[in-house]
Amino acid sequence: MSNSQVRTRFAPSPTGYMHVGNLRTALYAYLLAKSHNGKFILRIEDTDQERYVEGAIDVIYKTLAETGLKHDEGPDIGGDYGPYIQSERKHIYKEYAEKLVELGGAYYCFCDKERLEQLRQQQEAANVAHKYDGYCSRLSKEEIEARLKSGIPYVIRQKIPNDGVTTFKDEVFGTISVENSTLDDNILLKSDGLPTYNFANVVDDHLMGITHVIRGSEYLSSTPKYNLLYEAFGWEIPTYIHCPPVMKSATKKLSKREGDASYEDFIAKGYLKEAILNYIALLGWSPGDDREIFTLEELVEAFDIKGISKSPAIFDIQKLDWLNGEYIRKLSLDEFHEKALPYYKKAISNPNIDLYKISKLLHTRTVKFSDIPAMLDFIDVLPEYGPELYIHKKMKTNPENSLENLKAALPVLEELDNWTEESLHNTLFSLIEKLGVKNGQVLWPIRVALSGKESTPGGGIELADLLGKEESIKRIKKGIELLEIK
Ligand code: GLU
């Protein structure tokens, strides 16, 4: 590492969504910069105009802002090394490609489509890897001048040494060596004067003073060529940190179609952004101790690239669920209520229900907000259910004693005027005492009668309080009817 200030960058291509792996790259780049009091730069890599997606850059700004990964320089806020959008830097790439020709690291290539196609066919027939044969690198100065003068279209290709080995060090994957003979003289500048992706990336990393390049390991195989470019220009090579992929399982990728690949997918499922970010930090990185819950500031403190693992990270949804639950419990009841409200509205239309009471019940039981509607699906309408729901081994209930106890509870509840959680509690517990039965033998049947479900947020007393007297009595009567028919 050089003594200069650490400068990292997040260099997304605007795809229209923020893949979990990309957000992790952004996070690690942010953490590395901030843990060294350095700068975190945002650069938009939009050289591939064909893939342009409307509004895609806004998705990037929005995600970074929401997750708190605040960049110090970028297209929206400027900086000393701009512009920070590659489509606004076209003139720069051309200039540097020409400079590289002068330095001997690149050459003009005038081969037309037909020749390249012929070459491809020959190589295919000979069963050798497809690679440009370097024909134009052998043209004389005069031949090149003449072709340029007569306006023959050209590209600029990287001049890869014919032999030798290129070696580079990656902080995660170690030292990697590649035979130069396996590398192709790739195009750096296309015939329309626009750069290819790899070239623009290297020029920008250098011009923007990037000291540490953090990106996905899919770029490892391009890195030798990047290195040769840096060397040909005489530029300092940055520290490389390639991160392993994030996978659904050992063989399956996260999939956008299945809704488990992007930050937005998880927000839509009702995960908290803090939990998502915390979880993503742990995808392939470990703090070296057993801590798992981190604020962004704590991550800055703890982050060290030595903790990045080189094996693929498997996305563990159960762990994300657990973390999300932890973050939900850290919210105040009011904060929880505010975030839960839209989900209550999906399940409940009855205006008499006190939704704040639901928040009290759900705050400690919610794993993610999108689970909420299904937990409340019995409130507007009692679901159909069968007598077997009244069987509960541990509570020692069955349809017979449930019928008896519901029948005993009905008149007591009908008489109760002051319908509050407290009075319901007192009334039902004195009934339990009078009957000489176990608590659950009264409370379980009430819970089932009120909800038609086995699992509910809260027990019989809380549900009766929530539903109110009229609805509760109606449902208990229905339960009695159902058990009598049987
Ligand atoms: N633009 C690339 C991407 O979105 C990132 C390349 C890099 O970080 O070097 O995958």
Side-chain angles (χ1 to χ4, degrees):
M1 204 186 293
S2 72
N3 289 328
S4 58
Q5 183 186 47
V6 169
R7 289 175 58 85
T8 66
R9 83 317 193 254
F10 177 44
S13 305
T15 54
Y17 63 97
M18 182 68 79
H19 191 277
V20 162
N22 274 356
L23 183 56
R24 185 189 57 173
T25 301
L27 174 62
Y28 289 0
Y30 173 87
L31 295 176
L32 181 64
K34 295 298 144 182
S35 61
H36 289 85
N37 284 319
K39 296 270 188 261
F40 172 58
I41 288 107
L42 173 64
R43 178 174 77 230
I44 302 295
E45 301 209 319
D46 61 345
T47 47
D48 197 352
Q49 293 287 345
E50 272 167 36
R51 280 172 36 193
Y52 181 77
V53 182
E54 186 80 32
I57 299 182
D58 291 330
V59 171
I60 295 165
Y61 293 146
K62 186 165 173 274
T63 312
L64 293 182
E66 269 184 34
T67 50
L69 304 182
K70 205 169 162 294
H71 47 287
D72 300 296
E73 297 167 27
D76 50 343
I77 53 174
D80 295 342
Y81 299 79
Y84 293 90
I85 293 194
Q86 288 188 328
S87 54
E88 292 170 17
R89 299 172 63 80
K90 289 170 195 162
H91 57 288
I92 298 177
Y93 309 121
K94 186 160 191 300
E95 181 193 325
Y96 276 88
E98 283 162 1
K99 199 164 169 179
L100 196 62
V101 173
E102 277 168 38
L103 291 168
Y107 58 90
Y108 291 100
C109 173
F110 304 92
C111 291
D112 57 19
K113 261 199 197 126
E114 288 69 38
R115 176 166 193 274
L116 293 175
E117 177 54 27
Q118 217 174 14
L119 181 64
R120 200 183 62 79
Q121 284 174 10
Q122 280 166 8
Q123 288 171 333
E124 211 152 88
N127 212 6
V128 295
H130 181 234
K131 197 168 166 270
Y132 181 66
D133 62 355
Y135 176 83
C136 287
S137 69
R138 295 183 288 271
L139 294 177
S140 70
K141 229 180 158 149
E142 294 70 35
E143 285 170 315
I144 295 167
E145 286 300 321
R147 282 170 166 80
L148 286 175
K149 238 193 203 137
S150 61
I152 299 177
Y154 65 85
V155 300
I156 293 182
R157 285 184 187 273
Q158 183 172 4
K159 189 174 198 166
I160 305 267
N162 289 329
D163 36 44
V165 171
T166 295
T167 296
F168 69 96
K169 184 170 171 253
D170 180 78
E171 293 300 312
V172 177
F173 288 84
T175 300
I176 296 179
S177 295
V178 181
E179 301 270 348
N180 291 334
S181 61
T182 63
L183 304 175
D184 197 1
D185 284 0
N186 283 137
I187 296 174
L188 305 177
L189 199 77
K190 295 181 279 189
S191 55
D192 57 7
L194 293 177
T196 53
Y197 171 74
N198 290 334
F199 185 60
N201 183 276
V202 167
V203 169
D204 285 348
D205 278 345
H206 171 73
L207 294 181
M208 295 183 182
I210 302 305
T211 57
H212 295 70
V213 167
I214 303 188
R215 61 176 162 230
S217 58
E218 66 271 26
Y219 291 96
L220 260 183
S221 61
S222 311
T223 304
K225 284 184 223 163
Y226 293 0
N227 248 30
L228 289 168
L229 285 175
Y230 282 105
E231 279 169 10
F233 275 117
W235 292 343
E236 192 179 339
I237 292 169
T239 302
Y240 294 117
I241 300 151
H242 286 89
C243 303
V246 182
M247 307 280 289
K248 178 149 40 196
S249 68
T251 51
K252 263 182 103 180
K253 286 185 173 178
L254 294 178
S255 110
K256 205 178 138 206
R257 247 203 8 237
E258 288 171 35
D260 58 16
S262 74
Y263 170 75
E264 303 88 86
D265 288 335
F266 290 98
I267 290 291
K269 285 183 186 165
Y271 290 95
L272 293 171
K273 54 184 195 292
E274 296 83 359
I276 300 174
L277 203 68
N278 189 155
Y279 179 64
I280 282 180
L282 302 173
L283 269 176
W285 172 79
S286 146
D289 52 37
D290 53 11
R291 278 179 302 163
E292 293 194 294
I293 298 186
F294 292 89
T295 61
L296 189 55
E297 292 72 40
E298 288 165 348
L299 283 172
V300 170
E301 283 283 309
F303 191 73
D304 185 335
I305 52 174
K306 289 198 186 79
I308 301 177
S309 146
K310 64 177 166 194
S311 34
I314 308 290
F315 198 98
D316 178 353
I317 195 84
Q318 271 146 14
K319 186 155 177 185
L320 174 61
D321 282 351
W322 168 76
L323 259 176
N324 201 60
E326 294 293 312
Y327 276 87
I328 285 182
R329 279 177 280 294
K330 282 193 204 185
L331 298 174
S332 70
L333 186 57
D334 283 348
E335 285 170 329
F336 175 81
H337 185 64
E338 195 184 315
K339 288 187 194 291
L341 265 179
Y343 296 90
Y344 296 160
K345 303 232 161 98
K346 281 187 193 170
I348 302 171
S349 54
N350 180 351
N352 300 321
I353 300 291
D354 179 351
L355 300 177
Y356 203 76
K357 281 185 181 166
I358 300 185
S359 285
K360 284 188 192 154
L361 294 174
L362 290 186
H363 187 198
T364 57
R365 300 168 204 249
T366 304
V367 167
K368 58 180 185 296
F369 289 99
S370 58
D371 294 340
I372 288 179
M375 297 199 268
L376 304 177
D377 59 1
F378 64 94
I379 292 183
D380 271 2
V381 184
L382 179 69
E384 297 273 337
Y385 67 97
E388 69 286 347
L389 266 197
Y390 286 97
I391 304 171
H392 195 300
K393 255 194 175 160
K394 233 173 84 197
M395 307 277 186
K396 298 207 188 320
T397 61
N398 54 45
E400 292 72 33
N401 64 12
S402 293
L403 176 60
E404 257 170 55
N405 293 336
L406 282 181
K407 274 171 138 177
L410 182 61
V412 177
L413 292 175
E414 276 177 323
E415 252 165 57
L416 183 68
D417 282 328
N418 175 28
W419 193 271
T420 64
E421 196 180 327
E422 199 191 344
S423 61
L424 281 163
H425 184 272
N426 295 340
T427 307
L428 289 172
F429 272 88
S430 48
L431 175 70
I432 287 163
E433 214 186 301
K434 208 177 100 197
L435 296 174
V437 297
K438 291 171 130 307
N439 298 349
Q441 288 176 319
V442 169
L443 298 179
W444 180 256
I446 290 183
R447 181 205 279 237
V448 171
L450 293 182
S451 67
K453 292 179 81 171
E454 230 161 2
S455 145
T456 54
I461 293 170
E462 283 116 335
L463 295 187
D465 176 40
L466 187 68
L467 292 169
K469 182 168 177 178
E470 199 186 317
E471 184 65 19
S472 298
I473 298 288
K474 216 166 88 187
R475 291 186 182 195
I476 290 175
K477 283 184 177 163
K478 214 169 181 179
I480 294 175
E481 234 171 76
L482 182 129
L483 289 166
E484 275 176 336
I485 291 172
K486 197 214 145 244

